[in-house]
């Protein structure tokens, strides 16, 4: 997590897409490990008489988890659609692109102000 924080803190390193991807992966893994340790370790602590509690998720709990993943992927898809358009240059200000982008598509047009 500290390496990722240092990469994300430095503007020069942050502009390097390979380091940025590595930092994002490190942050994801760090959060996953931290979250996993907080959820898994207490489940393996025995009771005072030395027994472990068996637990199996119900169908409803599994469906709720799948729904959470589905909503997360939907949000990711929408955000990536906008980000990829910006990175490829398809979404630009009309005043800077004069109506055309490098890919030949028309850019975002700014509506005229009503007076």
């Amino acid at each position: 997590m500290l390496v990722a924080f240092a990469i994300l803190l430095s503007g020069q390193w942050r502009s390097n897409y390979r380091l940025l991807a590595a930092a994002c992966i490190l942050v994801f893994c760090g959060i996953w490990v931290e979250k996993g340790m907080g959820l898994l370790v207490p489940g393996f602590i025995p009771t005072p008489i030395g027994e472990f509690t068996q637990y199996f998720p119900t169908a409803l709990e599994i469906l709720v988890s799948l729904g959470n993943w589905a909503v997360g992927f939907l949000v990711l898809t929408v955000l990536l659609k906008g980000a990829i358009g910006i990175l490829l240059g398809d979404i630009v200000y009309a005043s800077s692109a004069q109506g055309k982008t490098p890919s030949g598509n028309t850019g975002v047009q700014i509506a005229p102000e009503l007076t």
Side-chain angles (χ1 to χ4, degrees), residues 50-71:
E51 295 178 345
F52 289 96
T53 304
Q54 296 272 333
Y55 172 76
F56 297 103
T58 63
L60 180 62
E61 291 171 330
I62 292 172
L63 290 175
V64 168
S65 296
L66 290 175
N68 287 338
W69 278 95
V71 169

Side-chain angles (χ1 to χ4, degrees), residues 62-83:
I62 292 172
L63 290 175
V64 168
S65 296
L66 290 175
N68 287 338
W69 278 95
V71 169
F73 279 120
L74 178 68
V75 170
L76 177 69
T77 302
V78 170
L79 293 176
L80 283 178
K81 184 174 182 178

Side-chain angles (χ1 to χ4, degrees), residues 13-102:
W13 289 351
R14 195 172 48 231
S15 63
N16 183 346
Y17 286 130
R18 288 181 186 233
L19 282 177
L20 185 61
C24 291
I25 291 170
L26 286 172
V27 166
F28 182 81
C29 291
I31 291 171
W32 191 3
V33 167
E34 179 64 32
K35 184 87 163 165
M37 290 299 137
L39 293 175
L40 293 178
V41 172
F44 292 111
I45 297 175
T47 64
I49 58 173
E51 295 178 345
F52 289 96
T53 304
Q54 296 272 333
Y55 172 76
F56 297 103
T58 63
L60 180 62
E61 291 171 330
I62 292 172
L63 290 175
V64 168
S65 296
L66 290 175
N68 287 338
W69 278 95
V71 169
F73 279 120
L74 178 68
V75 170
L76 177 69
T77 302
V78 170
L79 293 176
L80 283 178
K81 184 174 182 178
I84 290 171
I86 291 170
L87 288 174
L88 292 178
D90 289 337
I91 300 175
V92 295
Y93 286 113
S95 60
S96 65
Q98 298 166 353
K100 291 288 182 180
T101 60

Side-chain angles (χ1 to χ4, degrees), residues 93-115:
Y93 286 113
S95 60
S96 65
Q98 298 166 353
K100 291 288 182 180
T101 60
S103 65
N105 298 333
T106 57
V108 175
Q109 301 296 323
I110 300 173
E113 291 186 31
L114 299 174
T115 56

